[in-house]
Amino acid sequence: MLEINKFNKIIAANWKLHGTSLFIDEYFKKFNNISLDSNVCGIICPPSIYLNLCSSKIDPFYLGSQDCSNFEKGAYTGEIGASMLKDSNVQFCLVGHSETRQLFGVSDNDIKIKSKNLINNNINPILCIGETFDQKENKLTKEILYNQVTNCMTSDSSNETTIIAYEPIWAIGSGLTPTLDEIEGIHAFLKNEITNYTNYKILYGGSVKSNNAKDILSLKSVDGVLVGGASLDPLEFINIAKA
Ligand code: PGA
């Protein structure tokens, strides 16, 4: 498993359900000779069917998966287990992305099981948490995040194995972001105020672009970003990684 604490900055791309083999060829051509500082961890999470294709082109970035099955093997048609991801050179895996929670009914307990399977297979989970706009308006953000973190972590979770990604649901794909003070406040709360969960690396996600990445990344309690839409443009993503 990668030692995530050796990195100062983590920049992750979530392609969601986008891409073709042609797109991937063109994308990585733009990465020609790109280098990242040794303390920067760049991660790309393509759709699972393209993990192997990306694996051969992805250096100096690491390969990530967008999800994994709750199950390791067996009669679970359509599923992909953590050991299969490891076999495809995957080093990180998103768990609990709000789209999987909201559209596919993934529960906190499912996320806990996925995290455990991933850690058992030496893959670092990136645990996504976030509140809806209504929850924010009702001042429930901290309570929601606290519950998500405590319900989804396993006894094997630690700041050496697991990364947290704070993604307000209302900021995803909307062009809206919390203010910088709000982001810093939430990250500081997650880092310092939830007992047992101190000093996790915490990424911010939700409408990150090259024009706001630098300000977000300069916040004291932000250790990186998780980028959706903007990561589909290789030059935009490279600019974010270099911000
Ligand atoms: P976005 O998505 O950057 O398009 O808002 C972020 C995410 O869903 O991880």
Side-chain angles (χ1 to χ4, degrees), residues 14 16 97 99 167 171-174 205-209 226-230:
N14 173 13
K16 310 192 182 189
H97 189 284
E99 286 151 15
E167 298 203 300
I172 294 177
S174 64
S207 295
V208 175
K209 315 244 181 300
L226 175 55
V227 189

Side-chain angles (χ1 to χ4, degrees), residues 5-170:
N5 283 325
K6 73 180 181 192
F7 298 111
N8 288 344
K9 198 163 77 171
I10 299 170
I11 310 289
N14 173 13
W15 286 0
K16 310 192 182 189
L17 188 55
H18 295 286
T20 60
S21 44
L22 184 61
F23 167 86
I24 289 165
D25 276 348
E26 297 295 323
Y27 193 95
F28 287 110
K29 270 186 205 153
K30 299 278 185 342
F31 276 44
N32 217 354
N33 292 326
I34 184 177
S35 64
L36 291 178
D37 287 351
S38 58
N39 59 8
V40 176
C41 173
I43 306 167
I44 296 179
C45 306
S48 314
I49 195 159
Y50 296 125
L51 286 169
N52 280 322
L53 179 59
C54 289
S55 169
S56 59
K57 303 171 187 279
I58 205 161
D59 186 63
F61 287 74
Y62 294 104
L63 192 59
S65 172
Q66 297 175 16
D67 202 359
C68 76
S69 175
N70 292 16
F71 304 103
E72 272 297 41
K73 62 178 176 180
Y76 304 106
T77 302
E79 293 289 271
I80 299 178
S83 61
M84 296 170 180
L85 295 176
K86 191 67 195 176
D87 200 26
S88 297
N89 301 319
V90 165
Q91 271 166 307
F92 293 90
C93 182
L94 305 181
V95 285
H97 189 284
S98 60
E99 286 151 15
T100 69
R101 293 177 191 258
Q102 293 193 318
L103 302 174
F104 311 131
V106 170
S107 69
D108 283 351
N109 194 49
D110 294 326
I111 296 162
K112 188 173 185 165
I113 296 168
K114 289 169 196 268
S115 295
K116 191 170 179 46
N117 290 345
L118 289 164
I119 294 169
N120 285 344
N121 283 283
N122 293 323
I123 296 173
N124 300 98
I126 303 177
L127 168 62
C128 303
I129 57 173
E131 83 286 3
T132 64
F133 189 71
D134 278 357
Q135 290 164 340
K136 173 183 159 63
E137 289 293 279
N138 289 312
K139 309 212 175 321
L140 294 171
T141 301
K142 287 186 178 172
E143 185 183 327
I144 296 291
L145 300 181
Y146 176 87
N147 288 338
Q148 289 177 343
V149 169
T150 49
N151 292 341
C152 297
M153 293 282 187
T154 80
S155 52
D156 300 327
S157 301
S158 75
N159 60 17
E160 288 167 10
T161 59
T162 303
I163 298 168
I164 296 174
Y166 168 53
E167 298 203 300
I169 296 170
W170 51 273

